[in-house]
Amino acid sequence: MKFSEFTYERPDVTSLKTEFEEAVKVFKEARSADEQNEAMKKVVALRNRFESKARLAKIRHTINTEDVFYKEEQAFMDDNLPVYQGMVTAFHEALVQSPFKDELERKWGSQLFRLAELKVKTYSEDVLEDLKQENKLSSEYVKVMASAKIEFDGKELNLAQLSPYVQSADRETRKAASIAANAFLSSNQEKFDSIYDELVKLRTGIAKKLGYSTFTELAYDRMGRTDYNAADVKVFREQVKDIIVPLCTKLKKRQQKRIGLHEFKFYDEPFCFTTGNPKPQGDAEWIVNQSKQVFSGLSQETGAFFNYMAEDELMDLESKSGKAPGGYCTYLQDYTAPFIFTNFNGSDNDVRVLLHEIGHAFQMYTSRVFEVPEYQFPTLEACEIHSMSMEFLTYPWMDKLFGKDTEKYLYSHLTGAVEFIPYGVAVDEFQHFVYDNPDASASERRSKWRDLEKTYLPHRDYDGLEYLENGGFWHRQGHIFRSPFYYIDYTLAQICALQFWKRAGEDSERAWEDYFALCQKGGSLPFTKLVEEAGLISPFEKGCVASVVGEVEKFIATVDEEQFARA
């Protein structure tokens, strides 16, 4: 069945609640582990039905935020997802209190029970209305970002459509485009600050009601982090500061020299080569067709999977008016179908994002065999290993997409992956500051962000642009608003993905086998255990960051940058 044929009907939450309560009652009254396992099937079926509808509504709303029907459906979901969360929490509570817990754990593994305990801990009927409001505020942020209609080059563009101009070989064009993008963001500064202030205070209040001292503690539990804590993350951030930041400073100096500038401003950062940034050699349809060769080359499994995604219309890739910014991959259980949403704009990022989201989608599809939703995908930092590693594992086939620009793409992608990490940990440290100081003013938050930029991105020069000099850059980072503390995940995963890059260079067949096996484990294990099972070094382990950076430095030393000056 093609995506256009998927049907949506607003769920009857009252009936769902009645059915759910009855299913949980049957589970509780079961007289054996076998009976409880049987009762779980009904619970899972109800969960799959509702979650599929909620995700389908989100997809169609974000594809066109101006569609009145799905705008209303998203508002309905914002109101009712917390109600549904309460239903699932009731089941999790019954699960962890089961008199047959030991037998159930032998069947399902301990991770299910660890996650269930956290779900019980992080929800209460007392915070139901607060959770609804949190969803509404997050959706309000999306609406503001999607409202961008920027006059540039005689056209009306959104932020994604402006991106190719930001990478222009003409310095004045990329400067003007960067200023235009930031003018839109600056004009909405008060809205962003107000939405975020409400979110911070609301989330802090939720944490207090649930018995936490700060929202940070609640957020870690919400994220299902059963095997590491904020102290571990801080140790990782320090490694990044000591080892990766100096390398990134060197890389930016090389870039400045490579593109021949006496001064290196923020609007120069996206421009990597005097002959122009690498670009895919065709439009969205061409990229999809060429990608069939990429994925069939990687493995039989990925080849068949990508063909399925393309043929069943399970990707919405091109940017258009009214479409929400960003990209994501989600999963529709009722159809056992992943779905990819992104915004192509003609840059090399089109390919990177497609590969990234296919990594997510492939794991979701591979893990569809798990009977419980908790195992269909792991916690988010592990999910990002699948996506980021896919970007590296497909390196041998990038000529299919970039042609003469292949070497430029491989170099810029690898160095860009490393350069992203300091920014990622800055986002994480910023959120720790915010929720440790929930009464800080908007200007204090922006000042803290600017200080973190100077620590982790010391090369960045905003050329006196007031909005950015005053710390407004973080407003564009949707995760900060919508998914608090979901950003360090990318950096932890990037270190793991770089290990797959290293291993693929040594033994590509073994690297693929370990990657595929990792996808097959879904969310049945916590992050550090999944890393171990994949034969990777934990990012929290001493020496991990240094070993990866050492390999990147070796690679960079072998690159003849003069080749990039030749068309």
Side-chain angles (χ1 to χ4, degrees):
M1 183 183 293
K2 298 183 185 302
F3 178 75
S4 57
E5 298 170 332
F6 290 6
T7 58
Y8 174 81
E9 182 180 348
R10 177 181 286 189
D12 183 336
V13 176
T14 302
S15 296
L16 175 69
K17 194 169 189 294
T18 300
E19 286 187 78
F20 216 102
E21 288 172 349
E22 179 59 31
V24 172
K25 181 183 177 185
V26 170
F27 178 87
K28 287 179 176 179
E29 294 176 352
R31 293 168 294 179
S32 69
D34 286 342
E35 287 187 12
Q36 285 200 325
N37 282 323
E38 193 63 29
M40 279 178 68
K41 292 180 181 179
K42 175 64 173 177
V43 175
V44 168
L46 292 169
R47 292 177 68 183
N48 287 343
R49 186 202 310 168
F50 179 82
E51 290 178 20
S52 285
K53 291 182 184 299
R55 290 168 183 169
L56 186 55
K58 175 189 173 180
I59 292 168
R60 290 186 170 151
H61 171 63
T62 51
I63 286 174
N64 182 8
T65 60
E66 296 172 359
D67 183 303
V68 175
F69 177 80
Y70 282 107
K71 185 183 294 187
E72 292 177 355
E73 293 311 294
Q74 185 59 53
F76 173 83
M77 292 301 175
D78 286 345
D79 264 341
N80 285 284
L81 279 168
V83 177
Y84 169 72
Q85 184 182 344
M87 299 179 207
V88 177
T89 300
F91 168 68
H92 283 140
E93 190 169 10
L95 183 65
V96 297
Q97 293 175 356
S98 169
F100 313 110
K101 182 179 176 182
D102 290 344
E103 292 175 69
L104 294 175
E105 194 165 339
R106 281 195 291 273
K107 175 177 173 61
W108 299 106
S110 60
Q111 179 68 353
L112 175 62
F113 292 87
R114 291 177 186 170
L115 294 172
E117 287 164 3
L118 291 183
K119 292 296 184 183
V120 172
K121 188 178 177 185
T122 57
Y123 179 85
S124 164
E125 290 286 342
D126 294 339
V127 300
L128 178 60
E129 295 304 315
D130 294 328
L131 294 173
K132 291 180 182 181
Q133 182 62 15
E134 184 180 7
N135 287 340
K136 289 176 183 177
L137 289 167
S138 296
S139 293
E140 182 61 30
Y141 169 78
V142 173
K143 290 175 188 174
V144 176
M145 291 295 283
S147 72
K149 294 181 179 178
I150 302 165
E151 296 294 331
F152 196 85
D153 192 27
K155 305 169 187 173
E156 185 179 83
L157 305 173
N158 60 28
L159 289 168
Q161 292 167 331
L162 199 60
S163 294
Y165 296 97
V166 173
Q167 296 186 21
S168 172
D170 180 73
R171 195 177 195 218
E172 289 306 311
T173 298
R174 63 178 182 265
K175 178 180 179 179
S178 297
I179 290 173
N182 283 290
F184 165 76
L185 296 167
S186 177
S187 69
N188 286 283
Q189 176 176 290
E190 289 187 12
K191 287 183 184 177
F192 292 137
D193 283 339
S194 175
I195 290 170
Y196 193 57
D197 190 63
E198 284 189 67
L199 281 167
V200 170
K201 288 180 169 55
L202 183 68
R203 287 167 176 157
T204 299
I206 291 171
K208 299 289 186 183
K209 289 179 182 179
L210 292 171
Y212 292 89
S213 59
T214 69
F215 176 73
T216 303
E217 296 170 356
L218 170 58
Y220 269 63
D221 283 352
R222 274 185 175 184
M223 300 288 286
R225 294 172 179 169
T226 61
D227 55 337
Y228 66 94
N229 56 32
D232 296 313
V233 170
K234 184 176 181 181
V235 169
F236 173 72
R237 290 202 308 261
E238 290 300 316
Q239 290 185 70
V240 171
K241 189 185 302 180
D242 295 340
I243 298 169
I244 297 184
V245 170
L247 172 60
C248 291
T249 299
K250 292 177 187 177
L251 288 171
K252 287 303 179 186
K253 287 180 179 177
R254 286 172 66 125
Q255 181 182 350
Q256 179 181 352
K257 180 181 178 182
R258 188 168 64 246
I259 61 178
L261 295 177
H262 296 296
E263 294 181 315
F264 191 67
K265 305 297 183 181
F266 79 99
Y267 46 79
D268 297 316
E269 291 182 39
F271 182 62
C272 298
F273 308 99
T274 55
T275 52
N277 282 5
K279 289 185 178 180
Q281 303 297 295
D283 60 13
E285 183 179 357
W286 182 89
I287 290 172
V288 169
N289 286 330
Q290 291 297 106
S291 294
K292 292 177 182 178
Q293 297 181 53
V294 173
F295 290 108
S296 63
L298 178 60
S299 75
Q300 183 178 352
E301 295 86 0
T302 50
F305 173 71
F306 188 79
N307 285 336
Y308 152 70
M309 292 289 290
E311 290 168 8
D312 281 18
E313 305 171 352
L314 296 171
M315 299 180 284
D316 191 287
L317 304 176
E318 296 181 82
S319 181
K320 45 189 173 280
S321 179
K323 188 174 181 179
Y328 62 80
C329 179
T330 191
Y331 184 69
L332 301 166
Q333 295 99 316
D334 275 359
Y335 299 96
T336 60
F339 187 90
I340 289 173
F341 170 99
T342 189
N343 281 273
F344 277 14
N345 55 37
S347 72
D348 62 327
N349 197 52
D350 294 351
V351 171
R352 188 198 68 77
V353 172
L354 178 61
L355 298 173
H356 182 99
E357 301 302 345
I358 284 292
H360 283 311
F362 181 70
Q363 178 273 308
M364 292 176 186
Y365 191 72
T366 303
S367 299
R368 69 191 186 284
V369 295
F370 284 107
E371 296 175 59
V372 291
E374 286 80 1
Y375 286 175
Q376 288 169 356
F377 24 85
T379 48
L380 294 174
E381 70 291 275
C383 282
E384 298 303 340
I385 298 177
H386 310 129
S387 57
M388 290 179 159
S389 297
M390 184 64 83
E391 297 174 39
F392 290 111
L393 292 171
T394 49
Y395 267 14
W397 297 275
M398 286 302 95
D399 62 306
K400 306 294 183 188
L401 294 164
F402 288 99
K404 62 183 176 58
D405 281 352
T406 300
E407 293 304 316
K408 287 198 293 187
Y409 174 76
L410 296 178
Y411 178 85
S412 61
H413 179 269
L414 179 62
T415 55
V418 175
E419 290 171 356
F420 162 76
I421 295 173
Y423 171 74
V425 299
V427 170
D428 183 67
E429 189 167 332
F430 175 69
Q431 293 183 93
H432 277 84
F433 165 80
V434 166
Y435 290 105
D436 285 346
N437 301 275
D439 294 321
S441 66
S443 61
E444 287 172 330
R445 290 178 189 135
R446 283 186 263 111
S447 177
K448 178 62 177 180
W449 172 257
R450 191 69 186 102
D451 287 344
L452 289 169
E453 285 183 315
K454 291 174 182 176
T455 297
Y456 290 104
L457 310 166
H459 63 273
R460 182 156 289 177
D461 182 344
Y462 284 129
D463 199 24
L465 196 63
E466 184 178 3
Y467 170 69
L468 297 175
E469 293 286 6
N470 290 339
F473 186 90
W474 65 270
H475 287 149
R476 70 183 61 200
Q477 193 59 64
H479 299 73
I480 294 174
F481 291 82
R482 302 171 63 198
S483 307
F485 289 94
Y486 176 17
Y487 215 69
I488 196 67
D489 308 74
Y490 290 109
T491 67
L492 297 172
Q494 192 69 277
I495 290 294
C496 294
L498 284 164
Q499 292 181 64
F500 268 120
W501 162 75
K502 174 185 173 183
R503 293 178 58 198
E506 299 165 348
D507 186 342
S508 59
E509 188 174 334
R510 178 63 186 273
W512 167 253
E513 289 173 357
D514 286 345
Y515 173 85
F516 187 32
L518 178 66
C519 290
Q520 289 173 306
K521 290 181 175 63
S524 60
L525 296 170
F527 171 65
T528 55
K529 188 64 177 175
L530 286 170
V531 167
E532 181 184 337
E533 291 280 315
L536 305 174
I537 304 170
S538 168
F540 307 122
E541 188 174 321
K542 187 176 180 181
C544 173
V545 173
S547 69
V548 172
V549 170
E551 287 302 310
V552 174
E553 288 181 312
K554 287 179 187 177
F555 167 80
I556 292 169
T558 67
V559 174
D560 173 17
E561 293 204 32
E562 290 185 6
Q563 68 177 302
F564 300 136
R566 297 188 289 271

